[in-house]
Amino acid sequence: MASARNLNRFWEWGRKIICVGRNYADHAKELKNAIPSEPVLFLKPPSAYVKEGSPILLPVYSTNLHHEVELGVVIGRGGTAIPQDAAMEHVAGYALCLDMTARDVQEECKSKGLPWTLAKAFNTSCPVSEFIPRDRLPDPGNVRLWLKVNDQLRQEGSTSQMIFSIPFLISYISEVITLEEGDLILTGTPRGVSSVQEHDEVQAGIEGIVSMTFRVDRL
């Protein structure tokens, strides 16, 4: 069992990042996607992590990089086929996360029926905040997320708008992919996604809990 100190730095040793797409109806609609009847899953590698003090890097092959602010769930106890009613016992805490997305590449992949890996899994595509212990976020199903670019509000929403709840997602994912200590689940983004450019400053927060700032740079 890893110590709490280790979980405080889950991004240094966690083995996978499991992302949920289209988990807010308004975001699905703004990208002209159908509202899903079951979760849409994709993966990011641990090399996608980036922390404050380092920049978000624009992929050289994209001209339309989008921000997506999300609540991340940090797994503290692994398991397979975890029942929904026991799911929260497997949560160590949370993190504020960004799912940086090369939207032009994603649209091209979707049109060809190809996976989204190039659009979602590149280096620095998963900025994360400090670890938030579970007791600091007693109601993760009702927290406000916000994101600003150059001090202009772009995204604001509540996790109460999620289509699939955190316990449901933990149970659903663990039926297919065994969850391990240190894994991160990104739970989806509210509406308002838009592009960022080189030299932009991206600020994001969980109201009353944590905020973080990243600069966008080019390789």
Side-chain angles (χ1 to χ4, degrees):
M1 185 81 175
S3 71
R5 185 185 65 81
N6 282 343
L7 279 168
N8 285 341
R9 303 183 70 83
F10 66 90
W11 57 85
E12 292 183 347
W13 55 274
R15 281 160 48 102
K16 56 188 176 290
I17 304 166
I18 302 160
C19 308
V20 182
R22 305 173 191 168
N23 198 25
Y24 289 71
D26 285 348
H27 171 61
K29 289 175 187 170
E30 74 179 343
L31 295 182
K32 299 180 172 57
N33 291 315
I35 295 172
S37 57
E38 58 184 318
V40 176
L41 303 181
F42 59 93
L43 302 175
K44 291 178 185 272
S47 50
Y49 281 127
V50 62
K51 291 286 295 170
E52 269 189 295
S54 297
I56 297 167
L57 296 174
L58 290 161
V60 295
Y61 50 81
S62 173
T63 58
N64 191 19
L65 181 66
H66 276 205
H67 56 74
E68 298 189 3
V69 64
E70 314 208 0
L71 177 65
V73 177
V74 181
I75 298 299
R77 181 155 61 90
T80 305
I82 298 165
Q84 268 194 74
D85 59 7
M88 297 309 290
E89 298 168 20
H90 292 257
V91 174
Y94 305 92
L96 177 64
C97 308
L98 303 182
D99 169 15
M100 302 304 297
T101 302
R103 191 73 69 201
D104 49 348
V105 178
Q106 185 188 33
E107 293 298 331
E108 186 179 352
C109 291
K110 283 163 61 178
S111 72
K112 295 177 178 177
L114 296 174
W116 301 351
T117 305
L118 287 177
K120 292 282 195 179
F122 53 89
N123 292 346
T124 76
S125 64
C126 190
V128 292
S129 73
E130 66 193 59
F131 174 74
I132 303 164
R134 190 168 65 173
D135 57 7
R136 282 191 60 206
L137 216 62
D139 187 6
N142 189 27
V143 296
R144 294 204 68 77
L145 307 173
W146 58 266
L147 182 141
K148 297 178 180 179
V149 178
N150 303 327
D151 275 334
Q152 290 193 321
L153 187 66
R154 297 274 186 92
Q155 286 187 271
E156 188 174 23
S158 171
T159 56
S160 64
Q161 299 164 318
M162 291 196 300
I163 297 168
F164 304 108
S165 70
I166 291 168
F168 180 89
L169 291 173
I170 290 170
S171 180
Y172 181 91
I173 291 166
S174 69
E175 289 276 357
V176 183
I177 303 169
T178 294
L179 290 172
E180 300 169 290
E181 194 176 15
D183 285 349
L184 180 71
I185 299 173
L186 297 195
T187 58
T189 194
R191 61 175 301 207
V193 301
S194 62
S195 63
V196 294
Q197 314 297 327
E198 187 178 7
H199 307 312
D200 279 352
E201 185 177 82
V202 180
Q203 297 170 285
I206 298 173
E207 196 171 280
I209 300 292
V210 71
S211 65
M212 61 185 186
T213 303
F214 287 87
R215 185 178 171 86
V216 180
D217 277 341
R218 197 169 285 284
L219 273 170

